[in-house]
Coordinates of all heavy atoms in Angstrom, one line a residue:
Chain M
F146 N 45.6 198.3 102.6 CA 46.2 199.2 101.6 C 45.2 200.4 101.2 O 45.3 200.8 100.1 CB 46.7 198.4 100.4 CG 45.7 197.5 99.7 CD1 44.8 198.1 98.8 CD2 45.8 196.2 100.0 CE1 43.9 197.3 98.2 CE2 44.9 195.3 99.3 CZ 43.9 195.8 98.4
E148 N 44.3 204.0 101.0 CA 45.2 205.0 101.0 C 44.6 206.4 101.1 O 43.3 206.5 100.9 CB 46.0 205.1 99.6 CG 46.9 203.8 99.5 CD 47.8 204.0 98.3 OE1 47.3 204.4 97.3 OE2 48.9 203.5 98.4
S150 N 44.9 210.9 100.6 CA 45.4 211.7 99.5 C 45.8 213.1 100.1 O 45.1 213.5 101.1 CB 44.3 211.8 98.4 OG 44.7 212.7 97.4
E152 N 47.5 217.2 99.0 CA 48.0 218.3 97.9 C 49.3 218.7 98.3 O 49.5 219.2 99.5 CB 47.0 219.4 97.7 CG 45.8 219.0 96.9 CD 46.0 218.5 95.5 OE1 46.7 219.1 94.7 OE2 45.6 217.4 95.3
L163 N 51.5 230.7 97.7 CA 50.0 230.6 97.9 C 49.5 231.1 99.2 O 48.4 231.5 99.4 CB 49.5 229.2 97.7 CG 49.5 228.5 96.3 CD1 48.9 227.1 96.3 CD2 48.7 229.3 95.3
A164 N 50.5 231.1 100.2 CA 50.1 231.6 101.5 C 50.1 233.1 101.5 O 49.5 233.7 102.6 CB 51.2 231.1 102.4
D167 N 44.7 235.5 99.4 CA 43.5 234.7 99.0 C 43.2 234.9 97.6 O 42.5 234.0 97.0 CB 42.3 235.3 99.9 CG 42.2 234.8 101.2 OD1 42.8 233.8 101.5 OD2 41.5 235.3 102.1
I169 N 43.8 234.3 94.3 CA 44.6 233.6 93.3 C 43.6 233.4 92.2 O 42.6 232.6 92.3 CB 45.0 232.2 93.9 CG1 45.8 232.4 95.2 CG2 45.8 231.4 92.9 CD1 45.7 231.4 96.3
A171 N 42.8 233.6 87.6 CA 43.5 233.4 86.2 C 44.5 234.5 85.8 O 45.3 234.2 85.0 CB 42.3 233.2 85.2
M178 N 53.2 229.5 89.7 CA 53.5 228.3 89.0 C 54.9 227.8 89.3 O 55.8 228.6 89.3 CB 53.5 228.5 87.5 CG 51.9 228.6 87.0 SD 51.2 227.0 87.1 CE 49.7 227.3 86.1
V233 N 36.1 209.0 103.7 CA 37.0 209.1 104.8 C 37.6 210.4 105.0 O 38.0 211.0 103.9 CB 38.3 208.1 104.5 CG1 39.3 208.2 105.6 CG2 37.7 206.7 104.5
G258 N 39.2 218.5 103.3 CA 38.0 217.9 103.8 C 37.0 217.6 102.7 O 37.2 218.0 101.6
E261 N 30.6 219.8 100.4 CA 29.1 219.6 100.4 C 28.5 219.5 99.1 O 29.0 220.2 98.2 CB 28.6 220.7 101.2 CG 28.9 220.7 102.7 CD 28.2 221.7 103.5 OE1 26.9 221.7 103.4 OE2 28.8 222.5 104.2
F263 N 25.7 220.4 96.6 CA 24.7 221.5 96.6 C 23.4 221.0 95.9 O 22.5 221.7 95.7 CB 25.2 222.8 96.0 CG 26.3 223.4 96.9 CD1 27.4 224.0 96.2 CD2 26.2 223.2 98.2 CE1 28.4 224.5 97.0 CE2 27.3 223.8 99.0 CZ 28.3 224.5 98.4
Chain N
H121 N 50.5 195.4 99.6 CA 50.6 196.7 99.0 C 51.7 196.8 98.0 O 51.5 197.3 96.9 CB 50.8 197.7 100.1 CG 50.9 199.1 99.6 ND1 49.9 199.8 99.0 CD2 52.0 199.9 99.6 CE1 50.3 201.0 98.7 NE2 51.6 201.2 99.0
P143 N 40.3 196.9 96.4 CA 40.9 196.0 97.4 C 41.2 194.6 97.0 O 42.1 194.0 97.4 CB 39.7 196.0 98.5 CG 38.7 196.9 98.0 CD 38.9 197.3 96.7
N318 N 39.7 214.1 98.1 CA 40.6 215.2 97.6 C 39.9 215.8 96.3 O 40.0 215.3 95.1 CB 42.0 214.6 97.1 CG 43.0 215.7 96.8 OD1 42.6 216.8 96.3 ND2 44.2 215.4 97.0
S337 N 29.1 220.8 91.0 CA 27.8 221.1 91.9 C 28.1 220.8 93.4 O 27.3 220.2 94.1 CB 26.7 220.2 91.4 OG 26.3 220.4 90.1
G339 N 30.9 222.2 96.9 CA 31.8 223.3 97.4 C 31.9 223.3 98.9 O 31.4 222.3 99.5
Y340 N 32.5 224.3 99.4 CA 32.6 224.4 100.8 C 31.9 225.7 101.4 O 31.8 226.7 100.5 CB 34.1 224.5 101.2 CG 34.9 223.3 100.8 CD1 35.4 223.1 99.4 CD2 35.1 222.2 101.7 CE1 36.1 221.9 99.1 CE2 35.8 221.1 101.3 CZ 36.4 221.0 100.0 OH 37.0 219.9 99.6
L347 N 41.5 232.2 103.5 CA 41.3 230.8 103.0 C 42.3 230.0 103.7 O 43.5 230.4 103.8 CB 41.4 230.8 101.5 CG 40.3 231.4 100.7 CD1 40.6 231.4 99.2 CD2 38.9 230.7 100.9
R352 N 43.3 227.3 99.3 CA 44.0 228.0 98.3 C 44.5 227.0 97.3 O 44.7 227.5 96.0 CB 45.2 228.7 99.1 CG 44.7 229.8 99.8 CD 45.9 230.5 100.6 NE 45.3 231.4 101.6 CZ 45.9 232.5 102.0 NH1 47.1 232.8 101.6 NH2 45.3 233.2 102.9
N360 N 43.8 228.1 87.4 CA 44.7 227.5 86.3 C 43.8 227.0 85.2 O 44.1 227.1 84.0 CB 45.4 226.4 87.0 CG 46.5 225.8 86.0 OD1 47.1 226.5 85.3 ND2 46.7 224.5 86.0
N374 N 23.4 226.4 98.5 CA 21.9 226.3 99.0 C 21.9 226.9 100.3 O 21.7 226.3 101.3 CB 21.5 224.9 99.0 CG 21.6 224.2 97.7 OD1 21.6 224.8 96.5 ND2 21.8 222.9 97.7
H376 N 24.5 228.3 101.5 CA 26.0 228.3 101.8 C 26.7 229.5 101.3 O 26.2 230.1 100.2 CB 26.7 227.1 101.2 CG 26.0 225.7 101.5 ND1 24.9 225.3 100.7 CD2 26.2 224.8 102.4 CE1 24.6 224.1 101.1 NE2 25.3 223.8 102.2
H383 N 34.4 232.2 93.8 CA 35.7 232.5 93.1 C 35.6 233.5 92.0 O 34.6 233.3 91.1 CB 36.5 231.3 92.7 CG 37.8 231.5 92.3 ND1 38.1 232.0 91.0 CD2 39.1 231.4 92.9 CE1 39.5 232.1 90.9 NE2 40.0 231.8 92.0
D385 N 36.8 233.8 89.1 CA 37.0 233.3 87.7 C 35.8 232.4 87.3 O 35.6 232.1 86.1 CB 38.2 232.5 87.6 CG 39.4 233.4 87.6 OD1 39.3 234.5 87.2 OD2 40.4 232.9 88.1
S473 N 22.9 222.7 92.7 CA 23.7 221.5 92.0 C 23.0 221.3 90.6 O 23.7 220.8 89.7 CB 23.4 220.2 92.8 OG 24.3 220.2 93.8

Side-chain angles (χ1 to χ4, degrees):
Chain M
F146 54 80
E148 295 188 322
S150 176
E152 286 300 306
L163 285 182
D167 276 344
I169 302 152
M178 289 290 194
V233 177
E261 291 189 51
F263 295 142
Chain N
H121 177 68
N318 191 332
S337 298
Y340 298 86
L347 291 173
R352 286 176 194 207
N360 187 40
N374 306 332
H376 308 85
H383 189 280
D385 290 329
S473 278

